[in-house]
Amino acid sequence: MVIFGASGDLTRRKLIPSLYYLHRKGRLPLGTQVVGFARRPFARDEYRRYLRDAVERLAGTAVDHHSLDAFAENVFYVIGDFARPGYYAHLRGLLDELAGPRAGHLYYLATAPGSYGQVVGCLGANDMAHEEEGRRRLVVEKPYGYDLASARRLDRTLYAVFDEDQIFRIDHYLGKETAQNVLFFRFANTLFEPVWNREYVDHVQISAAETVDVGHRAGYYDGAGVLRDMFQNHLLQLLSLVAMEPPASFAPGPLRDETAKLLAAIRRFSPGEISRHTVRAQYRSYLEDSAVASGSTMATYGALKLWVDNERWRGVPFYLRSGKALAEKSTEVTLRFRRRPHPMFAKTCGADVDANVLSLCVEPDEGIHLRFEAKAPGAVADTRPVEMRFHFGGSFGGDAVPGAYERLLLDAVHGDASLFVRSDAIELAWRLIDSITRAWEEGAAGVAPPLVSYLPYKWGPDEAEALLARDGRAWLRGCGGREEALR
Ligand code: BG6
């Protein structure tokens, strides 16, 4: 495995620790070697020390030094300039020397996206993508383009050297155990799928709240904003998992076909709708960051009301929201079911017997909560909402849930593209997001909602509450065991 951008943040915080955990669990194929490639002039031992340090810092006392030593033995480093083919000849020489030309190679683009073209061009120039001798795969990190046009340009750059089936576009949300569990929950059980449609579901909510502000990534973020950073990829992928039709099998082709079909079924906004069905906001201290352009109108919070125009979902709103500097780090998907058509208990319990709520807790504390009504003991016919809860930690043990990168790296090594994003899905997602960003960035009254501000570390702007309140609904916080969410 060759990591381009080997001295960067992603490599240190995610890739190397995940590879180490895989090694410790014995899940990496025998003989896996990792070669870092970057400009920083590390000597090989220095690089190993740097990575050991990264793993120790993240894993703390959980590090097993014996296995870390063994892992580090198989880590190498090449100093190189991404844009200069000569350095790649050296890299190629090292790869041949380490494992012979017949070994499979996985190239991981963990550089800034501006360097993707250079790396891929140089791999091509050095004949390092051909598969006559062994497998050659390319993993591409997000952001995958900035809009539809740039994503297509990036595709063309990659296709000049690699075929689509050699390309693995990462969306780390797909590697999260609980995101995958949405499919297992829906399609491995009999109970839920029959009610998973417009007949029974009132609406769906998808929330990805973060406590962190834009911090040291302000420079990047101020050119991207919440729609490109979180919605185009993570939230739309979660929406696909929740709403897709059952694929014929859990294989890359059928699964990714259903994702594309679902994304294509999301209704495009007509002019005027964006100002009514979207909310954009910025947390109050955002403009104080020196890396943020003065007067920037970039949104750090967004909320959207979307529709999926197909037989299953016609008329069911999907509310999506995400933001930085919010009260809590949590990602959850919640389905609120319709009330019973005949309110049999209305006379004694009042007409507002709660509807059932199913919450898929993506993080933290991954699990599932199902809220339903139970008869209050002793009362003649009073009901109370109660919950059944499942959590991975409780059922499978403390460290049952591996990190998203562990899963995705292993899949890429084995060539399983099921949880990677195909180019048609990327395009469809950009088409939708572009139409909203264009309106937001033009900012004209009547076309875009006003940019509002929100207090950091609270629950976001009132306008997001109003988006649902207008429909007689409210954001739900179904996960995390908050009793106060219950009546
Ligand atoms: C990244 C975004 O893709 O996902 C970040 O660029 C965001 O801005 C992160 O913080 C959230 O990932 P997670 O796994 O912490 O929910």
Side-chain angles (χ1 to χ4, degrees):
M1 180 179 307
V2 183
I3 302 177
F4 295 97
S7 56
D9 215 35
L10 178 73
T11 306
R12 200 165 39 85
R13 285 191 314 112
K14 298 285 185 194
L15 303 184
I16 289 294
S18 305
L19 286 168
Y20 161 67
Y21 289 132
L22 287 171
H23 162 85
R24 199 182 63 183
K25 294 174 193 167
R27 303 192 69 189
L28 283 176
L30 210 63
T32 302
Q33 289 160 321
V34 180
V35 179
F37 184 102
R39 258 180 237 119
R40 215 158 131 181
F42 277 122
R44 181 177 151 193
D45 284 343
E46 227 181 330
Y47 187 61
R48 287 180 174 173
R49 263 201 306 280
Y50 168 81
L51 296 181
R52 289 179 63 100
D53 192 47
V55 173
E56 277 164 0
R57 227 181 278 168
L58 274 179
T61 49
V63 170
D64 161 17
H65 289 278
H66 181 67
S67 65
L68 186 54
D69 286 344
F71 172 70
E73 276 299 300
N74 286 309
V75 175
F76 303 83
Y77 188 75
V78 172
I79 303 169
D81 184 329
F82 299 136
R84 309 258 292 272
Y87 287 102
Y88 293 72
H90 177 50
L91 172 66
R92 190 180 169 158
L94 176 67
L95 296 178
D96 286 351
E97 186 189 314
L98 287 176
R102 304 190 69 79
H105 296 168
L106 184 76
Y107 305 119
Y108 200 116
L109 296 183
T111 67
S115 302
Y116 290 176
Q118 296 169 341
V119 175
V120 168
C122 290
L123 288 171
N126 280 278
D127 213 13
M128 295 171 76
H130 281 151
E131 296 208 296
E132 289 96 49
E133 295 182 313
R135 290 275 170 229
R136 302 289 180 261
R137 299 191 180 111
L138 181 75
V139 181
V140 189
E141 259 298 329
K142 69 168 277 271
Y144 199 87
Y146 173 84
D147 54 13
L148 177 61
S150 56
R152 283 184 169 161
R153 274 199 302 280
L154 180 53
D155 269 345
R156 283 196 295 275
T157 305
L158 304 190
Y159 291 154
V161 178
F162 291 91
D163 295 332
E164 174 66 26
D165 62 5
Q166 292 176 283
I167 301 171
F168 290 71
R169 299 175 192 80
I170 280 223
D171 182 322
H172 76 280
Y173 268 55
L174 289 179
K176 289 180 192 270
E177 200 69 30
T178 34
Q180 296 160 49
N181 191 46
V182 174
L183 292 182
F184 284 82
F185 183 73
R186 289 186 58 195
F187 303 134
N189 293 298
T190 315
L191 278 185
F192 306 104
E193 200 49 23
V195 295
W196 209 266
N197 56 52
R198 61 195 299 275
E199 297 296 323
Y200 295 95
V201 176
D202 175 72
H203 73 278
V204 179
Q205 301 182 6
I206 302 179
S207 289
E210 296 190 87
T211 45
V212 289
D213 57 19
V214 296
H216 70 280
R217 296 169 75 231
Y220 146 77
Y221 196 92
D222 199 40
V226 68
L227 286 182
R228 295 187 183 90
D229 189 53
M230 291 294 290
F231 281 75
Q232 187 273 342
N233 34 65
H234 310 323
L235 267 72
L236 288 182
Q237 288 297 329
L238 282 179
L239 170 56
S240 312
L241 295 174
V242 173
M244 70 167 58
E245 294 303 315
S249 70
F250 195 49
L255 195 56
R256 301 200 297 176
D257 288 348
E258 294 307 331
T259 303
K261 277 192 227 162
L262 193 282
L263 291 172
I266 300 176
R267 190 185 304 169
R268 303 294 176 251
F269 289 111
S270 59
E273 281 184 333
I274 291 180
S275 59
R276 261 186 299 131
H277 296 322
T278 71
V279 173
R280 61 177 179 135
Q282 197 180 70
Y283 63 81
R284 285 223 175 129
S285 49
Y286 179 68
L287 293 177
E288 288 164 20
D289 195 307
S290 58
V292 167
S294 106
S296 166
T297 56
M298 198 49 87
T300 58
Y301 179 101
L304 310 180
K305 177 180 173 184
L306 299 176
W307 304 93
V308 175
D309 282 341
N310 63 15
E311 186 80 15
R312 183 190 286 259
W313 295 115
R314 179 92 194 174
V316 177
F318 286 74
Y319 300 98
L320 275 57
R321 66 174 169 171
S322 179
K324 297 278 186 206
L326 293 175
E328 199 175 270
K329 168 81 177 154
S330 68
T331 303
E332 65 184 74
V333 175
T334 301
L335 285 85
R336 189 178 182 103
F337 290 87
R338 292 186 187 282
R339 294 204 159 128
R340 296 281 305 160
H342 172 61
M344 173 180 150
F345 296 108
K347 268 204 191 125
T348 40
C349 311
D352 62 342
V353 170
D354 258 359
N356 298 136
V357 173
L358 177 73
S359 300
L360 308 170
C361 315
V362 178
E363 68 182 343
D365 205 3
E366 299 81 353
I368 293 170
H369 293 189
L370 177 63
R371 192 193 303 175
F372 57 96
E373 291 294 306
K375 180 182 173 299
V380 180
D382 198 6
T383 73
R384 289 276 183 279
V386 292
E387 275 194 356
M388 285 202 297
R389 296 174 184 182
F390 150 78
H391 282 276
F392 277 83
S395 297
F396 295 105
D399 58 355
V401 182
Y405 277 92
E406 276 182 59
R407 168 65 196 255
L408 294 174
L409 280 165
L410 201 59
D411 282 2
V413 166
H414 290 302
D416 180 349
S418 309
L419 300 176
F420 293 83
V421 190
R422 210 167 55 189
S423 100
D424 53 351
I426 297 257
E427 287 205 7
L428 288 160
W430 274 128
R431 249 180 232 284
L432 174 73
I433 295 303
D434 277 2
S435 66
I436 309 170
T437 46
R438 228 176 285 127
W440 282 15
E441 285 165 17
E442 279 169 19
V447 173
L451 177 71
V452 293
S453 67
Y454 59 99
L455 280 174
Y457 315 116
K458 301 269 185 257
W459 271 105
D462 293 344
E463 285 72 4
E465 304 299 327
L467 180 73
L468 273 71
R470 279 203 298 274
D471 299 340
R473 300 183 173 113
W475 290 105
L476 297 162
R477 292 160 65 194
C479 298
R482 283 170 289 262
E483 293 297 340
E484 78 272 18
L486 303 181
R487 203 179 338 127

